[in-house]
Amino acid sequence: MITLTRRFTSYEIAAQEDRCDLRQPVKIAAKLRASGGSKFQVTVRDIAIAGFSCDAVAAMPVGTRCWITLPGLNSFEAQVIWNDGYHIGCAFAQLLNVAVLDRLIAQHRCPT
């Protein structure tokens, strides 16, 4: 008998455990780059340990692999999970470090 073990990606685990984490409203000027494309300016509107949403200034279909560059940090790989034509929601490939998240929220929090 052969037993197959399924390997979960970070997002699949996040979807089960952290996807419901409260999204924090922020206003962060960032740069986004789709796979094979050039960087362009976006405004991140909310962020959590598993992902973020930002303005959609370019057509990025669901499933697009991208990289977000946040102020003072290296780029983070993500994937477009939804696109309503005005904003996109992305899931980080690796969960965001809590200390990094806390710093971003402290520096860029928007009043609700």
Side-chain angles (χ1 to χ4, degrees):
M1 177 203 290
I2 298 175
T3 304
L4 298 177
T5 303
R6 180 161 185 237
R7 297 181 69 164
F8 289 97
T9 65
S10 294
Y11 180 71
E12 288 174 303
I13 294 167
Q16 294 170 20
E17 297 175 2
D18 299 307
R19 189 77 180 126
C20 295
D21 188 28
L22 182 61
R23 297 273 175 154
Q24 298 294 322
V26 292
K27 186 173 184 181
I28 305 172
K31 301 231 177 183
L32 190 66
R33 181 179 70 80
S35 185
S38 299
K39 286 183 180 180
F40 55 92
Q41 190 74 34
V42 296
T43 301
V44 175
R45 300 292 178 184
D46 66 49
I47 194 163
I49 196 169
F52 63 93
S53 71
C54 65
D55 300 334
V57 295
M60 294 183 75
V62 170
T64 300
R65 189 180 193 188
C66 58
W67 287 263
I68 183 109
T69 304
L70 298 163
L73 299 168
N74 290 327
S75 296
F76 295 93
E77 184 180 351
Q79 182 177 16
V80 177
I81 301 302
W82 58 265
N83 182 337
D84 67 6
Y86 301 101
H87 299 93
I88 59 173
C90 297
F92 291 120
Q94 300 292 320
L95 297 179
L96 198 58
N97 180 288
V98 175
V100 170
L101 177 64
D102 289 345
R103 186 180 72 121
L104 287 168
I105 293 167
Q107 291 177 342
H108 303 281
R109 182 183 301 276
C110 281
T112 53

